[in-house]
Amino acid sequence: MSLFKGFLKNNKDKGERIGVDPQNIPTHIAIIMDGNGRWAKRRKLPKILGHREGSNVLKKIVRYCDKLGVKYLTVYAFSTENWKRPKKEVDELMDLLLEKLKNAEKELGGDQAKIRVIGNIKGLPIDIQNEIKRVERVTSQNSGICLNIALNYGGRDEIVNAVKEIVTEAEKGIIKNDHIDEEYFAKKLYTWYMPDPDLLIRTSGEKRHSNYLLWQMAYTEFWYTDVLWPDISEAYIDEAIMEYQKRNRRFGGV
Ligand code: IPE
Ligand code: IPE
Ligand code: MG
């Protein structure tokens, strides 16, 4: 403890800021919420309880990010590759997702959050599709953080979809080859209404994209931790943002 105090004092002496700088909060944070399975396994609990605890943590983190002034939070809840998991896990996950979406205004978002779902929604069970429509409608006028839940989401799938849409427009004669630029393309992605993520947080020690926001993360700053998603608390979000605030973002320039 005394060591820790000393560390704070030394940093203060050097004039370094301690804590999150409220003037430089990332506008958009993306999270790969990983490690629910390992969290349950370590406790000898059924895997679904890890996912359930993970959803409780999400609720807390959404509120905290909203309080900090983060405008967009995009969380990976189910990938296009997660269908490869055992049927029992997929079924239980779909049941949990349905339950959470039914009460998403209270269970995920909090008072003023605007909730949207990104991904191949048509590939989800119909009851989930209906809840997505409902929750997007009832929260659409909210003025707080925009919580984007990536569900049946895959970055490659998203890019292929965008290409198909553009080819259809070309076939109909709506657009020509030289109309298509990065801006035009980005507007065809599921994320058309938001800026690219500034910061990506991935928990549980994996250091890969896992097909998440491939186009959008061209210049995103990455922050990894070995902590499993259900063990994440507000303090880790502070840690990630403080690290982000030390980074020098160059976007290819000088
Ligand atoms: C992340 O937790 C949540 C989903 C992929 C739905 P995992 O289930 O991948 O947890 P680990 O990686 O097995 O620990
Ligand atoms: C990424 O985690 C998907 C979600 C968190 C929903 P995975 O656990 O599926 O990723 P891999 O398989 O370790 O790459
Ligand atoms: Mg995993």
Side-chain angles (χ1 to χ4, degrees):
M1 190 63 207
S2 58
L3 258 181
F4 185 62
K5 269 187 188 153
F7 170 73
L8 288 180
K9 190 167 164 282
N10 284 341
N11 274 344
K12 263 187 198 145
D13 291 347
K14 280 191 261 162
E16 281 179 22
R17 165 173 275 286
I18 289 162
V20 168
D21 176 0
Q23 302 303 320
N24 184 20
I25 298 291
T27 304
H28 183 177
I29 299 182
I31 307 183
I32 302 179
M33 309 181 291
D34 201 7
N36 296 347
R38 278 161 281 178
W39 184 91
K41 197 170 180 189
R42 281 181 198 172
R43 286 165 178 74
K44 299 193 166 53
L45 293 169
K47 201 167 182 183
I48 190 63
L49 291 186
H51 293 310
R52 188 170 280 285
E53 189 56 23
S55 68
N56 294 335
V57 167
L58 174 60
K59 177 178 175 179
K60 197 166 70 177
I61 298 306
V62 174
R63 279 162 180 69
Y64 187 59
C65 287
D66 195 14
K67 205 172 94 187
L68 286 176
V70 174
K71 299 287 178 239
Y72 299 87
L73 182 68
T74 304
V75 298
Y76 213 0
F78 192 88
S79 75
T80 45
E81 286 68 38
N82 286 150
W83 297 106
K84 291 184 209 156
R85 294 191 178 198
K87 185 176 181 308
K88 181 174 185 284
E89 184 182 355
V90 171
D91 287 349
E92 287 177 345
L93 266 170
M94 289 298 145
D95 287 346
L96 179 65
L97 285 165
L98 182 64
E99 177 193 320
K100 291 287 159 182
L101 285 166
K102 277 189 171 158
N103 301 296
E105 309 88 296
K106 293 190 199 79
E107 285 299 313
L108 293 177
D111 281 353
Q112 276 306 312
K114 192 185 282 205
I115 300 174
R116 309 212 32 171
V117 174
I118 60 167
N120 182 353
I121 294 171
K122 289 200 180 80
L124 289 162
I126 192 72
D127 44 1
I128 293 193
Q129 291 187 39
N130 290 336
E131 281 310 318
I132 291 172
K133 281 188 209 135
R134 188 199 61 80
V135 75
E136 287 189 337
R137 192 183 62 245
V138 301
T139 65
S140 66
Q141 299 306 315
N142 286 354
S143 57
I145 192 168
C146 181
L147 170 66
N148 307 292
I149 306 169
L151 255 186
N152 197 18
Y153 175 89
R156 289 184 171 181
D157 176 65
E158 178 183 40
I159 290 169
V160 169
N161 259 327
V163 171
K164 283 188 168 180
E165 217 178 292
I166 292 173
V167 169
T168 304
E169 286 178 345
E171 283 171 350
K172 288 183 182 160
I174 302 169
I175 47 145
K176 288 207 156 50
N177 181 308
D178 49 356
H179 289 160
I180 303 160
D181 56 14
E182 290 185 10
E183 201 184 332
Y184 193 88
F185 191 80
K187 289 289 177 229
K188 301 293 179 199
L189 299 172
Y190 298 133
T191 52
W192 60 271
Y193 56 91
M194 51 172 134
D196 290 341
D198 301 293
L199 170 65
L200 169 73
I201 295 176
R202 183 164 189 158
T203 59
S204 89
E206 312 303 345
K207 295 183 178 66
R208 53 179 169 259
H209 268 99
S210 301
N211 204 11
Y212 197 36
L213 302 170
L214 297 181
W215 170 278
Q216 297 85 344
M217 295 212 284
Y219 275 102
T220 300
E221 297 293 330
F222 285 16
W223 186 82
Y224 301 100
T225 175
D226 288 338
V227 176
L228 306 175
W229 175 253
D231 289 327
I232 286 292
S233 62
E234 291 86 342
Y236 292 102
I237 302 299
D238 281 354
E239 202 179 315
I241 295 178
M242 283 191 280
E243 167 69 29
Y244 164 85
Q245 292 178 335
K246 283 190 220 148
R247 304 267 177 98
N248 178 11
R249 301 185 77 189
R250 283 187 291 273
F251 300 97
V254 282

